[in-house]
């Protein structure tokens, strides 16, 4: 991964700047300041691409932008003469269950924490601020905010209700939780109506469909038996 400054000059985060894994803290998110941009923590924002502008970044005092969307152009960064240039990280990863985001989890979460420790703020976005960018935010909350995956998901969903990492990303987050915390707080549950396993935190979305599917299946089997 490469991190660039406002004028696309490469900037590096040295290994000795990164915070050790065990240095976790608790946080409280403050009030969202710009519609469409969700503030998860005082130092962490999550959003979709359509609401980002150089003015918004300046208004929120964002110092690090992460763009996880190869289908988008580069994020518009503020160009004013600032004593602290905006860092920019682009991760070319599609919103597909088979895309491996986990290879970036440690590097990205460490960068976000380094920025926080130096008094900065990070904004993470993809196209809609629903799947890819949310996945990285959940990884950060697990590693540095003392939350397990279930807590991180419902905490983030309370602030940004539309979040919905795809099933593959959730499997990667479960593995990351196992790696970080030695436990798994979100189970995968098989739903026959869609012929796959889903995270149990999504069950309310599929329960009515599954119940309907099972009722229709029983009716169909009954008709077959009568014949």
């Amino acid at each position: 991964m490469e991190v660039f400054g406002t004028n696309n000059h490469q900037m590096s985060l040295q290994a000795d700047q990164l915070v050790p894994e065990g240095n976790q803290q608790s946080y409280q998110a403050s009030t969202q300041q710009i519609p469409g941009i969700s503030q998860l923590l005082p130092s962490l924002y999550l959003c979709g691409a359509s609401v980002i502008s150089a003015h918004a970044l300046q208004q929120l005092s964002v110092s690090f932008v992460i763009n996880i969307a190869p289908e988008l152009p580069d994020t518009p960064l503020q160009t004013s003469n600032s004593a602290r240039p905006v860092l920019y990280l682009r991760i070319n990863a599609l919103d597909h269950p088979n895309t491996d985001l986990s290879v970036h989890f440690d590097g990205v979460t460490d960068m976000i924490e380094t920025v926080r420790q130096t008094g900065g703020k990070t904004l993470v976005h993809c196209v809609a601020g629903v799947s890819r960018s949310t996945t990285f935010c959940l990884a950060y909350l697990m590693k540095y905010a003392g939350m397990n995956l279930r807590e991180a998901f419902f905490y983030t969903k309370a602030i940004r209700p539309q979040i919905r990492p795809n099933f593959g990303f959730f499997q990667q987050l479960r593995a990351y939780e196992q790696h970080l915390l030695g436990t798994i707080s979100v189970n995968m549950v098989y739903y026959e109506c869609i012929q796959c396993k889903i995270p149990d935190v999504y069950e309310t979305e599929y329960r009515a469909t599954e119940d309907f599917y099972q009722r229709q299946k029983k009716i169909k089997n009954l008709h077959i038996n009568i014949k």
Side-chain angles (χ1 to χ4, degrees):
M1 294 182 295
E2 293 180 327
V3 185
F4 296 93
T6 305
N7 296 318
N8 283 345
H9 295 305
Q10 186 175 350
M11 303 184 70
S12 61
L13 292 175
Q14 302 299 325
D16 59 4
Q17 290 180 285
L18 301 181
V19 181
E21 217 170 275
N23 188 6
Q24 296 180 336
Q25 300 184 32
S26 59
Y27 304 87
Q28 287 185 336
S30 55
T31 304
Q32 179 177 299
Q33 300 176 45
I34 296 177
I37 300 181
S38 303
Q39 186 171 23
L40 305 185
L41 303 171
S43 60
L44 181 62
Y45 294 94
L46 168 64
C47 69
S50 64
V51 296
I52 301 175
S53 66
H55 175 73
L57 297 178
Q58 189 170 24
Q59 184 176 336
L60 297 173
S61 299
V62 169
S63 48
F64 183 29
V65 174
I66 304 174
N67 172 4
I68 313 112
E71 61 268 51
L72 295 176
D74 284 329
T75 309
L77 303 178
Q78 61 196 57
T79 56
S80 59
N81 295 326
S82 173
R84 182 169 189 163
V86 176
L87 300 177
Y88 179 62
L89 172 65
R90 184 182 182 94
I91 299 174
N92 291 321
L94 295 173
D95 185 13
H96 189 280
N98 292 330
T99 298
D100 188 3
L101 295 185
S102 66
V103 296
H104 303 294
F105 282 171
D106 276 331
V108 169
T109 56
D110 287 345
M111 288 178 188
I112 294 172
E113 180 63 7
T114 297
V115 169
R116 185 196 71 82
Q117 289 242 328
T118 56
K121 298 179 181 181
T122 298
L123 182 143
V124 188
H125 80 88
C126 48
V127 173
V130 169
S131 184
R132 286 167 286 187
S133 52
T134 297
T135 297
F136 280 105
C137 289
L138 295 179
Y140 176 82
L141 292 175
M142 283 195 289
K143 187 169 185 179
Y144 286 110
M147 301 181 192
N148 63 32
L149 179 54
R150 179 173 293 273
E151 292 166 340
F153 175 80
F154 284 111
Y155 170 82
T156 303
K157 189 172 179 62
I159 298 170
R160 188 173 179 83
Q162 65 265 46
I163 66 164
R164 200 179 187 283
N166 71 48
F167 300 160
F169 294 165
F170 236 109
Q171 289 281 35
Q172 294 169 38
L173 286 167
R174 292 174 74 248
Y176 195 54
E177 180 183 30
Q178 176 71 53
H179 168 71
L180 292 174
L181 306 177
T183 186
I184 297 177
S185 61
V186 175
N187 296 316
M188 300 298 291
V189 182
Y190 183 78
Y191 267 57
E192 196 172 353
C193 62
I194 54 175
Q195 303 291 304
C196 70
K197 289 184 177 182
I198 67 169
D200 62 13
V201 295
Y202 291 163
E203 281 197 276
T204 56
E205 300 177 29
Y206 289 94
R207 174 52 59 190
T209 304
E210 178 70 11
D211 290 345
F212 176 79
Y213 177 87
Q214 294 299 335
R215 287 196 299 269
Q216 294 302 309
K217 183 179 177 180
K218 287 180 180 178
I219 292 172
K220 182 178 179 180
N221 289 337
L222 180 61
H223 287 167
I224 291 174
N225 291 334
I226 291 174
K227 291 178 181 179

